[in-house]
Every structure is written in C-alpha cells, then in structure tokens.
Amino acid sequence: MTDFARILSTLRDGRRSAHGICDGCLSELPGMTGVGLTAMSSTSVREPICASDDVSARLERLQYDVGEGPSLDAFGTSSPVLAGDLTEGTYRRRWPVFSTEAVDVGARAVFAFPLRVGAVRVGVLETYRTRPGSLTEEETLRALLVCDAAMVLLLDGDADRLLAGGGILPYRAEVHQATGMIVAQLDVSAEEAFVRLRARAYATGRTVEDVARDVIGRSVRFDDDPAV
C-alpha cells in the first residue's frame, strides 16, 4: 500500500464524524499539536469542517473575525503558507492581529495548505504546534499527502454529509443571514456587508457571530450608524 493510500484509509476510518477526520489528519502529522480543516469557496465564504482541539478551532475563528492569517493567504494564493515562528517580525507585520493572538493562545508555528485540484480550490488544512521551527522537507511532503487525502473526502460528498449531520458550527448560518440583512440595509454587495460585520465585531471586541445575532434580533442596524 502506498503512503497516500494508507493515509486516505486512515482518514476514511474516521469520517463517521467531523472530529474523527481531523484526528486522522493529526495522527498522520507527527510533531504537530493540532489540525483544522475548513471548506472554502472564497476568503469570506468558508465553513469549518473540524478541529482537533480548542486552539485549532480558535485559530480558524480568529482568522474569520479579523480577516487575516495563514489560511486566508494559502487559499488566496493557492500555495502553502509556512510560518515557522509567529513571533518573527515578518509575520508580525504580515498578520499583526492574528500573529499576536495566535501566540497568546499557544500556537507558535502555523502551517496552512490549500486543498485544490488544478485551479479548483475547495478549502484549507491548517496545522500548528506549540514550539517554533520550520517544517522539514519530509514533513512538508507528508502534509501535502494528508491534504490530498482530505481533499478526496471533501470531493466525494463527505463535506455535505458532515454539514447535514451537524459537523459544522451552527453560528455560520446566523452570519450568512445577518450578512443578507446588512446587504438590504446598506444596498451593498455581500462581500462588503461581511466586511462591515467583521469590522464591527473587531471594533467592539466581540465575535462575528455575536454581532450577527444582534443584527438578526434587530438590536443592531448598520444603516443607523453613520460610522459604517
């Protein structure tokens, strides 16, 4: 059995649950502390499939809230983004908010890999560890094999099954609904509405989903605020 076939078999064994898939990915990436898998169609339209631990989930949510980070760059460029030490000046300047907060929650190195077939991108696999250090060539090649296996599961319908089974965090539907309401209030594109929602969340020190719930509950309106 080839390495890819064995890795795919490991991930398939865990696909009865979203968490099981990430556990399978992590088991194939020795030296990594945690793994997160996110389905994406753009940098603002994405759904978390799974996270192996709380830090991985927080890293995904942080990037969603502040609009910067390695997963967004990996998806946007269709290339791996390998940040071996988030305390370095390069990453502090590149992701000023993400790098600081990621280190605060325990992620010293973060590595993001786009899931793609040719020009078609379907998501990102992100892994982190608590100690600094670049990936070796062997670790990078292994991560790419894990990405290929994860991508196969996304493309063969597992992502839809996980969505239907509750594998996706439920607040994303609220964010989408609130974005639509902001579109109607401001007569802007969905992309612009999401940017406004995210900016309000960050400016007030809250999460995107918390502000989204207020929009849905009509306690917050964006057309009442001249600052928007």
Side-chain angles (χ1 to χ4, degrees):
M1 180 181 291
T2 66
D3 284 346
F4 174 76
R6 185 185 54 73
I7 292 171
L8 180 59
S9 177
T10 298
L11 269 58
R12 285 191 183 281
D13 287 345
R15 68 179 178 176
R16 293 180 181 84
S17 70
H19 190 74
I21 293 177
C22 267
D23 285 347
C25 290
L26 185 59
S27 72
E28 294 293 340
L29 296 169
M32 297 297 107
T33 307
V35 171
L37 183 63
T38 304
M40 301 176 67
S41 59
S42 75
T43 55
S44 64
V45 181
R46 61 190 192 272
E47 302 284 358
I49 297 296
C50 61
S52 64
D53 61 359
D54 182 60
V55 172
S56 293
R58 292 175 72 178
L59 293 177
E60 193 281 332
R61 182 177 293 192
L62 174 61
Q63 293 177 82
Y64 188 84
D65 285 346
V66 304
E68 64 179 39
S71 284
L72 300 188
D73 287 2
F75 184 84
T77 63
S78 294
S79 298
V81 175
L82 311 177
D85 188 349
L86 290 175
T87 67
E88 290 183 356
T90 298
Y91 303 117
R92 293 292 196 190
R93 291 188 293 272
R94 185 172 180 178
W95 311 306
V97 179
F98 172 82
S99 61
T100 299
E101 298 197 20
V103 171
D104 286 346
V105 301
R108 185 65 180 272
V110 177
F111 311 102
F113 300 85
L115 306 179
R116 59 190 175 94
V117 180
V120 178
R121 296 165 296 173
V122 299
V124 173
L125 183 145
E126 182 177 81
T127 184
Y128 83 93
R129 58 188 175 198
T130 56
R131 59 179 175 81
S134 301
L135 294 180
T136 65
E137 182 178 354
E138 181 180 353
E139 287 174 325
T140 302
L141 292 174
R142 190 174 190 83
L144 291 173
L145 287 175
V146 172
C147 286
D148 287 345
M151 182 178 60
V152 168
L153 295 186
L154 288 178
L155 294 178
D156 73 3
D158 279 322
D160 291 339
R161 185 178 57 77
L162 290 172
L163 283 165
I168 300 301
L169 298 178
Y171 67 78
R172 300 302 186 183
E174 296 174 331
V175 171
H176 297 327
Q177 182 180 348
T179 298
M181 294 175 67
I182 297 168
V183 167
Q185 291 171 15
L186 300 179
D187 191 25
V188 296
S189 68
E191 186 83 13
E192 175 68 13
F194 177 78
V195 169
R196 301 287 185 92
L197 178 65
R198 186 171 62 198
R200 174 73 68 85
Y202 185 68
T204 56
R206 305 175 69 202
T207 65
V208 171
E209 66 271 19
D210 283 342
V211 178
R213 292 189 190 105
D214 286 347
V215 173
I216 294 170
R218 294 176 170 76
S219 62
V220 167
R221 289 187 61 92
F222 278 63
D223 54 357
D224 290 341
D225 186 353
V228 303

